[in-house]
Amino acid sequence: MADISLSKAVRANLLSLKGTADMMATTQNRLATGNKVNSALDNPSNWFTAKGLTNRASDLGALIDSMANGIQTLEAADNGLSAMTKTLESMQSTLRQARQDKSFQTASYTVPTTGLSSGDQISFSGGAVGTTPVDINLTKPTAGTAGITFGGTAFEADAGDSITFTVSVDGGSAQTVTIDATTIAAAGDGDAQIENAEEYAELIQNQITGATVSFTGNNLTITSDTTGTNSDVNTTIGVLTDADTSSTGLTLANTGLTAAINGTAGAADGGAIKTVDELVSEINGNTDLTGKIRASNDNGKLRIENQSTQELDVDGVTALGAIDGSTTGASSILGNSVRAGLTGQFNELRDQLDKLSDDASFNGINLLRGDKLTITFNETGTSAIDIQTENGETINAFNLGVPTQLEEEQLDSDVTIDGLLTDVKAALDEVRSQASTFGSNLSIVQNRKSFTESMINTLETGAGNLTLADMNTEAANLLALQTRQQLSQNSLSLASQADQSILQLLQ
């Protein structure tokens, strides 16, 4: 309205009021928004710098959720490994209990002193022995022998007369036996002639080793000092020398040796019946029975302990517990039921390993089944961590080396149990090692999460320093502007009154 003219004073006051109103609007806006820079128009440099900081903080904030999920996934895997560790420790305890348990079943049998002969045996099968029976002869092994018959004719050797033969004991080299005037003079009663089997026995014994010469009546027997199938005595008549020229001459007959020399090899059994202590020693010393059965002397009876979880069959024993060497299917010894029961417990625990591994997932990721977890740490993706088991292998009973299905027979032997304990210990070490690795990874992720949260705070604080208003200052400014506005209004009123004084002059 150009046709209206304002006085200089009124115009000045109006301009002052307008400026004050603009500043009050700005201050009120700052108080309402809390920002001193609300758009690029307020302060381009601060606005765009703060925007960049808040954008980065927002990007990092999105990563915080991923890190939080990663932490939960690792904790789920750690929960699974902790449970698997306890399960493996329970499996160890089960095996140790089986190792310590010695509640093996026994049976005692009467050993006869007569009535047994070659071929009579006590036989063990089943249990830890297996399907192939192990036989123990009930009679002692026999020795190899050779017999010579003395015809009863006295032999007095002339000078130069002799008879020689060889004796081989247990396949050894031949030992030469010489009967002449010299050897005859050194044997017997010193009358320079051989008169009976006893003197022949003494003469032969003086010239051989490894065998014993005995006699019964006119029968001489050379018996090996060893027994069994390798025991053997062979004799062979060698040279018969007649030094005189008598018409009668020296013959085998007039030496008193009237029968041919013969031999019989030893055998594995057929001798005297073995005593209980001899049977105990032989059974416990048999490598095919070691750790499978154990024998002992039970007040004169043969006690057999079945060191197995399975039933042991004993043949050669009657239903009444008397050893006869021939009865079959009449006697058996039950297995160790405690160890057999512990087998089932072990298998149940073993099955839990796989179930725990399957259930240790979070948000669809299961590290124990070989899944890979990737967690990004910065907004550019240049910092990240990949978390996975070694070679992406599933952590389960099979890969840990735990037996797939334990059979009762595997708890028969302490040696086998020790081997199983070694396998479970190796599995336990592997699980603990993997738990340690995941624990280290968890520490890294938690540390990066804390670092990221601190960085977000730093970025947002920096952005706030550039854009946020000081509320105390702005409140004081508003109060000052309100006072200025009131003063300006008073000044405008005074200026208007000055203009109105003209009207009073015109009245």
Side-chain angles (χ1 to χ4, degrees):
M1 301 178 66
D3 294 335
I4 300 174
S5 298
L6 298 177
S7 65
K8 180 178 181 183
V10 171
R11 190 177 296 279
N13 280 295
L14 285 173
L15 290 174
S16 177
L17 278 172
K18 183 180 179 182
T20 301
D22 290 341
M23 286 189 288
M24 285 183 67
T26 300
T27 301
Q28 288 171 343
N29 186 45
R30 289 178 179 177
L31 287 171
T33 62
N35 294 323
K36 64 182 179 181
V37 178
N38 288 294
S39 68
L41 298 176
D42 295 334
N43 187 326
S45 176
N46 285 11
W47 168 262
F48 287 111
T49 301
K51 195 64 176 178
L53 295 175
T54 55
N55 286 341
R56 186 184 177 198
S58 178
D59 292 341
L60 290 176
L63 296 177
I64 288 290
D65 293 337
S66 174
M67 293 181 202
N69 281 338
I71 288 173
Q72 297 306 118
T73 302
L74 281 167
E75 288 182 350
D78 184 66
N79 291 337
L81 291 174
S82 296
M84 293 177 77
T85 298
K86 291 180 181 178
T87 301
L88 287 167
E89 288 172 348
S90 296
M91 294 170 73
Q92 275 187 324
S93 298
T94 300
L95 290 174
R96 290 192 181 110
Q97 184 179 350
R99 180 69 167 78
Q100 294 169 0
D101 182 79
K102 302 297 180 184
S103 55
F104 299 114
Q105 301 298 310
T106 64
S108 296
Y109 306 111
T110 302
V111 180
T113 57
T114 59
L116 298 179
S117 59
S118 175
D120 289 337
Q121 299 173 328
I122 184 171
S123 179
F124 305 99
S125 61
V129 178
T131 56
T132 303
V134 177
D135 303 323
I136 301 295
N137 292 323
L138 295 171
T139 56
K140 298 178 182 179
T142 60
T145 62
I148 302 175
T149 301
F150 172 60
T153 302
F155 175 47
E156 181 177 353
D158 298 330
D161 289 346
S162 67
I163 181 172
T164 62
F165 61 91
T166 61
V167 179
S168 297
V169 181
D170 299 341
S173 58
Q175 304 178 64
T176 301
V177 177
T178 301
I179 303 174
D180 57 15
T182 301
T183 57
I184 291 173
D189 55 10
D191 59 0
Q193 64 179 353
I194 298 297
E195 300 169 316
N196 52 50
E198 180 180 6
E199 291 185 349
Y200 260 119
E202 179 184 354
L203 186 151
I204 296 170
Q205 184 70 74
N206 290 338
Q207 298 185 56
I208 64 172
T209 58
T212 301
V213 184
S214 60
F215 67 95
T216 301
N218 288 332
N219 295 318
L220 289 91
T221 303
I222 305 174
T223 304
S224 170
D225 291 340
T226 65
T227 59
T229 55
N230 293 324
S231 177
D232 187 40
V233 176
N234 287 309
T235 58
T236 305
I237 293 293
V239 179
L240 181 66
T241 302
D242 184 4
D244 59 31
T245 57
S246 65
S247 60
T248 303
L250 181 63
T251 64
L252 185 63
N254 59 34
T255 65
L257 302 178
T258 58
I261 298 175
N262 55 74
T264 302
D269 68 336
I273 298 174
K274 296 173 183 176
T275 65
V276 172
D277 288 335
E278 288 172 335
L279 286 172
V280 167
S281 178
E282 184 172 352
I283 291 172
N284 290 338
N286 190 312
T287 56
D288 291 331
L289 298 176
T290 301
K292 301 171 183 177
I293 68 171
R294 180 167 56 189
S296 60
N297 189 330
D298 180 17
N299 293 322
K301 292 184 177 182
L302 177 64
R303 175 190 288 162
I304 299 298
E305 180 181 78
N306 177 17
Q307 296 180 312
S308 171
T309 58
Q310 306 303 302
E311 186 174 300
L312 176 71
D313 295 322
V314 184
D315 289 336
V317 180
T318 67
L320 297 177
I323 296 177
D324 64 1
S326 58
T327 301
T328 60
S331 180
S332 62
I333 305 174
L334 295 176
N336 186 327
S337 59
V338 175
R339 288 193 176 188
L342 291 172
T343 303
Q345 294 181 26
F346 182 93
N347 288 333
E348 289 177 0
L349 290 168
R350 188 261 180 207
D351 291 341
Q352 284 300 314
L353 289 176
D354 291 345
K355 293 177 181 177
L356 288 168
S357 179
D358 289 337
D359 293 340
S361 64
F362 179 84
N363 198 29
I365 298 177
N366 190 339
L367 293 175
L368 301 190
R369 302 297 291 177
D371 294 345
K372 180 187 288 186
L373 173 63
T374 300
I375 302 175
T376 303
F377 292 139
N378 64 8
E379 71 279 11
T380 61
T382 57
S383 178
I385 185 172
D386 290 331
I387 300 173
Q388 192 179 29
T389 58
E390 185 175 357
N391 299 322
E393 191 174 74
T394 299
I395 299 178
N396 57 18
F398 177 79
N399 290 330
L400 289 173
V402 179
T404 303
Q405 185 69 22
L406 191 64
E407 301 295 336
E408 292 179 355
E409 294 86 344
Q410 290 179 266
L411 297 187
D412 288 351
S413 168
D414 289 348
V415 174
T416 303
I417 294 175
D418 290 339
L420 291 170
L421 280 168
T422 299
D423 293 339
V424 174
K425 178 62 168 61
L428 187 58
D429 290 342
E430 186 173 343
V431 169
R432 286 172 175 169
S433 175
Q434 186 60 69
S436 177
T437 301
F438 282 165
S440 177
N441 292 334
L442 178 60
S443 178
I444 291 172
V445 177
Q446 288 176 328
N447 189 36
R448 284 305 300 249
K449 181 174 179 289
S450 297
F451 167 78
T452 302
E453 289 172 343
S454 298
M455 278 300 299
I456 291 173
N457 183 64
T458 299
L459 294 169
E460 289 179 343
T461 300
N465 290 337
L466 295 173
T467 62
L468 292 180
D470 185 340
M471 305 304 284
N472 292 326
T473 300
E474 297 303 328
N477 288 340
L478 181 60
L479 182 60
L481 289 170
Q482 288 173 340
T483 302
R484 180 186 296 181
Q485 186 180 47
Q486 291 175 357
L487 291 173
S488 295
Q489 289 173 346
N490 290 336
S491 297
L492 179 59
S493 178
L494 291 173
S496 297
Q497 290 176 4
D499 289 343
Q500 291 176 357
S501 62
I502 300 299
L503 293 175
Q504 293 177 353
L505 292 175
L506 297 175
Q507 291 178 353

